[in-house]
Every structure is written in C-alpha cells, then in structure tokens.
Amino acid sequence: MRLALLLFLAPAVALAEAPTVARRLIDAALADHHAFATVASLSDHVGQRLAGSPGAEAGVAWALAAMRSTGLENVHAEPVTFERWVRGAESAAIVAPSQIPLHPTALGGSVGTPHAGTTAEVVEVDSLAALRALGDRVKGKIVFFDHEMARTRDFTGYADAVPLRGHGAVEAARLGAVAAIIRSVGTGAYQLPHTGNTHYDPAVAKIPFAAITTEDAGLIHRLLSSGTPVRIHLQLGCHPGGTARSANVVGELRGTAKPDELVLIGAHLDSWDLGTGAIDDAAGVSIVLETARLFKRFGLPRRTVRVVLFMNEENGLSGAHAYAAEHAGEDPDVVAALEADSGAGAPTGFDIAGGAPSLAMVRELVAPLAPRLPTALRATDEAGADLLPLQAAGVPVLAVAQDMSGYFDWHHTAADTVDKVNPTELAEVVAAFATVTWGLADAPGRLPPPVKPPHW
C-alpha cells in the first residue's frame, strides 16, 4: 500500500504546485458553458429517450455524431437487447366517498389493469413490515404505500424510500391485493407524479403499480385518517412491447504511454418518457463528453480514456450488463470507472467504493481543485448503477458527489427539462470530473480493488 500511495503522491503534489494540465482543465471547464449546450442539444432536439422508443434510437444517432465531433476514436455502437415496456394511457380517481380525479403514472415494468380498469377499496401502509402485518385484510384491496421521502443533499433520502417502489407490488400481491399505488418517490409537491422502475417475482402474480402525486397522497391519507373508507378506480394501459434491440455508444481517446490500460467514464443515454431527461441523464452525458473534449484540447493522458453511454439504465440496467459481458476480458486492464448520473447540481466532493487506501490516493489526485471546489471524500458501497457489474468484477469505481437537495423535485417527472440545469454548477461538476479522470488516467499507480456492491 505504501508504494502505491507514493506512486500517486508524487505526480499529484506536482500538479498542485505548478501550472499543469489539471489546472488548465479546471480553468477551461469553469470558463464556459459548453456542457450546458450539450444538455440542451440532447434534451431539446432529441427529447425523451425511453429504451425501445424512437426517441432512444434518435439518441443513439445523436451520441455517435456527438462523439465523432468531439474527436473520439473508434466510435461505435454495441448491441443491447431487452424487453421493451410501453406506457399507454393512464388515469385514476377516487370514486368514494366522492368523485375526485387523481394524477397517476405507471411505474416502469408495471403490468396494466384490465381494459375497464380496477376498482377497489384502499388500505394504507407506510412500510413493507406494516403491509405484512395486515395479512388477509389486504386481499381484494388496492394497497397505498404512503412513505414521505426526506430531502437530503445526497442519495440518502432516496435510498430510504425507493425499496417500496421496487418491491411493493410483489409484497402486496403475495397477500392478494389487486393493485398498488405509491406516494411518488420524490421531494417535490407540484402535482407531478414520479415514475421509476419496479420489479416482479416470477412466482407471484403481477399486479398493476402506479405512483401518485404528493398532493394526491395527502388527500387519500387525510380521508383514511378520518375513518372514511376510500375506493379508487385505476386504469393503466402499460404493457410489454416484445424484445427490443438498441445500443450502447462507445468511443475512446487513446493513451500516450499505456494505451492498453483504461479509465472508463460513462453516463446513461436513455431517459424516462415523461420529460426530456435533462437532469437524468443528459447532464451526465454532457459531463463525460465535455471531459473528453477538454482532454482533446489540452493533451491526452498516458492511459486510454473510454467513454460509454449506456442504454436502458432506467428500466433494467440492460446496457450495463451487455457492456460488462462484451468486455469481460478487459476487466484487469480497467484501472478505474466513473459514472455521471447525479444530475447537474454543484459538486460536493467524491464518492469512492473503497477503503482508506483508496481515499488517500484520490485525495492527492483531486488536490488541484482546492480551494476552488470541494474535495471532501466519502467511502460508499457503490458509485453508479451502470458500474455495478464492473465493480462486482473488481474494477475500482468512483463518482463526483453532487448537491442533490433539489434533484428529486424533478427526477423521473414531466418537469425533467433543460430549465432545471444551472450552467455554472454543471461547469463545476465538469471541472471536478475531468480533474479526477485525468489524475487516474495519467498516474503511474492504480487504485486498490473496490468493495463488493451490496446485494450482488
């Protein structure tokens, strides 16, 4: 460990003491808003990019052109196959004690209701444990998961709330529920439902599952709390769309001294279909493409930098698994992987899926950012959904941590649009991302292996 640390320390100290590529990268990233223009190009000119839709295929064409115009080499598409999901029409309403329309959106992967819809009495729970405690009282009902997500600067609030979205339908179906609804996993209250992926168990009957807005959830909760039974009519037209084929988009900047060793930087190209996917994840796409553009401008590092834009992160990580399978033989050559998938909020530091030695090494690599940008480090279990297969294979993974206190107001909603991106904050993320990428790609040493991802 001591030798590895010294190998990182010497070049990093030099970076901090003199005008260097790292400082030029920082200055250039903070000086213009080129990354914001990239977000606008993808979001405004392509629009929503739900995997399996024409928008996603337009996104693939856009990405191929964008990489080539940035000057990347070996730009190509790599096939990704997955089961397509189609949203269809959706509606919901309270039908007793009064007639009040609701604002639902189906969760990704959900099955639809019968054509005429499903009408049933509602039972409310705030956790999976509370659901199981109801036992037979769930049979024939619509389960309403009412758990309010906390607003935090990181993923903490989301991580606490999202298991209900992921597993709620399965657990409700086990007890005989006919459908489920959930208070949106988000922090905004703007009559905007938040979609997101849900999961089923092949051994359990599939039931429809939809998110409703914060305001609708509050209404149902108040009625039930007053002792008033509530009946809801839910109609979802979502359904499987058959096998679909799309692609990850890959390009490279070949290293000058160790071209066979790689630093992978990635983001996901797809988005949900309600908005135009500006913060999730056109912002990430712009961060990695801008990093590559700056490297072309100021000189290439010793290792090859590979840019990967993954397909179908939102509805199953299909692109991540396809990439990992296609490139499994390269895992020992990947010295690190970084993903940008935390929106466009200002950087707050760095997350590293590793222990103290990894943090010590990264601390030296990001020293050129101080005092202009935060350099706080945190050890985490993971550092990006699309990197999980690589992390499981032993590739070191890390990410720029960002201020997410407003991110989940718009995440997975129709309001995920370009106006939610602050150009200055996005430029700051680029500066941090490019600096740590350069350090990893140019340093003599390598990070230790990561911790294993949880539940893998």
Side-chain angles (χ1 to χ4, degrees), residues 123-143:
V123 292
E124 177 183 353
V125 295
D126 62 2
S127 67
L128 294 177
L131 170 67
R132 297 183 189 109
L134 290 178
D136 291 343
R137 287 173 286 175
V138 172
K139 189 172 183 179
K141 305 288 181 31
I142 294 175
V143 172

Side-chain angles (χ1 to χ4, degrees), residues 97-375:
S98 55
Q99 300 279 333
I100 303 176
L102 301 174
H103 305 80
T105 192
L107 297 177
S110 175
V111 297
T113 61
H115 182 71
T118 297
T119 303
E121 187 175 335
V122 174
V123 292
E124 177 183 353
V125 295
D126 62 2
S127 67
L128 294 177
L131 170 67
R132 297 183 189 109
L134 290 178
D136 291 343
R137 287 173 286 175
V138 172
K139 189 172 183 179
K141 305 288 181 31
I142 294 175
V143 172
F144 166 42
F145 293 101
D146 188 24
H147 178 84
E148 187 171 353
M149 178 179 159
R151 186 184 297 275
T152 59
R153 292 192 79 200
D154 55 17
F155 278 103
T156 305
Y158 186 69
D160 175 63
V162 80
L164 285 176
R165 192 189 76 199
H167 307 290
V170 171
E171 298 306 315
R174 289 187 201 279
L175 298 174
V178 296
I181 57 176
I182 186 172
R183 176 191 286 262
S184 282
V185 179
T187 51
Y190 311 101
Q191 284 291 31
L192 289 168
H194 298 236
T195 191
N197 185 248
T198 192
H199 307 286
Y200 289 110
D201 184 334
V204 179
K206 297 179 180 180
I207 62 173
F209 198 10
I212 59 173
T213 66
T214 296
E215 293 87 346
D216 289 345
L219 168 62
I220 296 169
H221 173 74
R222 291 191 300 274
L223 289 170
L224 292 173
S225 296
S226 71
T228 304
V230 174
R231 288 179 64 81
I232 284 178
H233 178 75
L234 178 66
Q235 196 161 8
L236 301 179
C238 48
H239 59 88
T243 301
R245 292 174 178 80
S246 187
N248 296 327
V249 181
V250 181
E252 294 179 341
L253 296 175
R254 191 163 177 80
T256 59
K258 296 183 176 182
D260 294 332
E261 294 187 6
L262 307 172
V263 173
L264 184 151
I265 58 175
H268 66 85
L269 185 57
D270 64 304
S271 76
W272 286 109
D273 52 325
L274 302 182
T276 59
I279 60 172
D280 187 19
D281 188 28
V285 170
S286 76
I287 291 164
V288 299
L289 289 179
E290 184 67 1
T291 294
R293 188 181 76 88
L294 292 172
F295 285 9
K296 284 288 291 185
R297 178 179 171 185
F298 292 111
L300 303 180
R302 303 197 304 173
R303 294 185 176 92
T304 293
V305 175
R306 178 177 292 169
V307 177
V308 183
L309 301 183
F310 297 95
M311 177 55 64
N312 199 29
E313 184 270 351
E314 296 291 10
N315 224 0
L317 297 179
S318 307
H321 290 292
Y323 178 87
E326 177 69 19
H327 296 272
E330 297 174 350
D331 290 337
D333 299 323
V334 184
V335 301
L338 302 89
E339 182 174 16
D341 187 17
S342 299
T348 60
F350 298 85
D351 290 339
I352 301 99
S358 297
L359 268 66
M361 295 177 187
V362 174
R363 181 174 292 110
E364 299 301 330
L365 295 180
V366 302
L369 290 167
R372 302 177 71 178
L373 294 171
T375 56

Side-chain angles (χ1 to χ4, degrees), residues 381-452:
D381 291 333
E382 58 184 80
D386 281 315
L387 303 182
L388 288 171
L390 298 178
Q391 182 182 347
V395 173
V397 297
L398 61 158
V400 177
Q402 295 173 239
D403 183 354
M404 308 188 76
S405 54
Y407 176 72
F408 291 104
D409 287 357
W410 320 115
H411 177 252
H412 293 181
T413 75
D416 180 1
T417 47
V418 173
D419 53 286
K420 308 308 183 302
V421 177
N422 180 309
T424 299
E425 293 184 352
L426 181 63
E428 292 173 352
V429 182
V430 171
F433 194 96
T435 298
V436 72
T437 300
W438 176 271
L440 291 164
D442 205 56
R446 301 174 61 148
L447 288 171
V451 296
K452 286 288 185 181

